[in-house]
Amino acid sequence: MEAPSPGDRARRLAAEALAADDPTGWFERLYRGDQTVPWHQGGPDPFLVRWAADRNLDGSGNSAGRLTAGEEVRFARSRPAGLTALVIGAGLGDDAEFVAGLGFDTVAFDVAPSAVERARRRFPDSTVRYEVADLLDLPADWRFDLVVENFTVQSLPVGLRERAIAAVAATVAPGGTLIVHATYRDPAVERPGPPWPLTRSDLELFALEPVTVTQIPEPGHPELATWQAEFTRPG
Ligand SMILES: C[S@@+](CC[C@H](N)C(=O)[O-])C[C@H]1O[C@@H](n2cnc3c(N)ncnc32)[C@H](O)[C@@H]1O
C-alpha cells in the first residue's frame, strides 16, 4: 500500500486531535521523526524575502528604530543593539534564519517541540533563539521590532481566532512592524479546516495600523489566494 502523502497524514492527525478537543496536539505528531511536513517550502517565504529586499531591510543596528515603508528602510531612532524580531509558529526555521541573516536579534517559537528540535538541528550555528512556546500563552513582556506571522493563525480553529490574533498583535513593540502572510477566505465560502483561512475582517482584529494589505489572487484556484499584509504599531 502507498504511504499517505504529507497532506493526507496532516489531515488525519488534525482530525484526531480536533476530535479529542486538542487543537494544537497534532503539530508535534506531524513533526516527530523527521517526517515531511506539507507546508515546508525548503526556504524562506518568498513574500517575506521580496518585502525585505524592497526595503533593503537591515536589522543590525546600523540603522535602527521604526520600520517604515519606502524605497529604503529608514529608522526613526538609533539603537546600538540593533533590532529584534519574532517568528511565530516558526516550523523548521527557514523564515527565522532569513530574518536573523538580515541582522535581527531573532526569537522563533513553535508549539511543537520536535519542530524546534529539528530547526536547531538544521541550523546548528544559528544565532536564532528557538523556543517551544504556545502562541496562546506567551510571556507577557515579549515585544519585538519585527514580527513575522506566516500561516500560523490559520492553522488554529476559528474559535481561537480572536485570541490568536490578539496574541500576535501583542508582541509588536511600539513603532514595530508585523508582516502577515495567510490564505484568503471569502466570508461567503465555508470550508472545513485545517487550514482556516482569514477573511478581511479577521485582518482587522490585529487592531494595528495597516501599511499595505494586498489580496493576491491565484487564477483558477480561488482557495490558494493569499493575504500579504504589513501593519505597524504607532510608536
Ligand atoms: C501551517 S504551519 C506554518 C509554519 C511556518 N510558519 C511556515 O510558514 O512554513 C503552522 C505552524 O504553527 C505552529 N503552531 C500552531 N499552533 C501554534 C501555537 N498555538 N503556538 C505556537 N505555534 C503554533 C505549528 O506547529 C506549525 O509549525
Side-chain angles (χ1 to χ4, degrees):
M1 205 174 68
E2 242 179 72
S5 71
D8 287 344
R9 193 168 152 266
R11 275 185 287 279
R12 178 179 57 77
L13 292 173
E16 287 168 6
L18 292 163
D21 203 18
D22 178 10
T24 59
W26 61 283
F27 295 107
E28 172 54 19
R29 275 165 237 142
L30 192 65
Y31 280 107
R32 206 176 284 156
D34 283 341
Q35 301 257 14
T36 305
V37 286
W39 45 77
H40 185 228
Q41 304 179 63
D45 178 41
F47 162 59
L48 175 64
V49 173
R50 206 170 42 245
W51 177 82
D54 285 349
R55 287 155 181 76
N56 296 321
L57 193 62
D58 176 5
S60 67
N62 297 326
S63 47
R66 182 173 183 276
L67 307 180
T68 56
E71 302 228 321
E72 270 179 80
V73 168
R74 294 268 176 234
F75 295 103
R77 60 185 191 274
S78 236
R79 206 187 296 173
L83 294 173
T84 59
L86 178 69
V87 180
I88 310 261
L92 297 178
D94 299 87
D95 288 344
E97 293 301 317
F98 174 72
V99 168
L102 299 175
F104 286 83
D105 182 3
T106 305
V107 174
F109 73 94
D110 201 285
V111 75
S114 291
V116 170
E117 189 266 323
R118 285 173 67 175
R120 287 181 183 143
R121 208 158 17 95
R122 287 181 75 214
F123 304 106
D125 302 321
S126 178
T127 59
V128 176
R129 207 173 91 211
Y130 286 104
E131 296 209 1
V132 178
D134 185 346
L135 174 62
L136 304 175
D137 188 21
L138 291 182
D141 60 349
W142 274 15
R143 298 282 178 278
F144 296 82
D145 297 304
L146 173 65
V147 176
V148 176
E149 157 40 15
N150 284 343
F151 305 107
T152 299
V153 167
Q154 70 180 58
S155 74
L156 293 166
V158 173
L160 295 171
R161 178 126 312 165
E162 286 190 28
R163 270 180 72 195
I165 287 181
V168 171
T171 64
V172 182
T177 292
L178 168 67
I179 289 299
V180 176
H181 196 180
T183 313
Y184 162 84
R185 182 170 82 80
D186 175 342
V189 179
E190 292 276 351
R191 278 199 286 137
W196 293 270
L198 275 59
T199 63
R200 183 71 184 79
S201 46
D202 287 332
L203 294 182
E204 275 153 30
L205 296 172
F206 285 103
L208 297 169
E209 203 170 280
V211 178
T212 55
V213 176
T214 312
Q215 189 192 321
I216 311 288
E218 186 68 31
H221 296 278
E223 76 287 1
L224 297 179
T226 57
W227 292 116
Q228 301 182 347
E230 174 184 344
F231 298 94
T232 186
R233 182 183 295 291

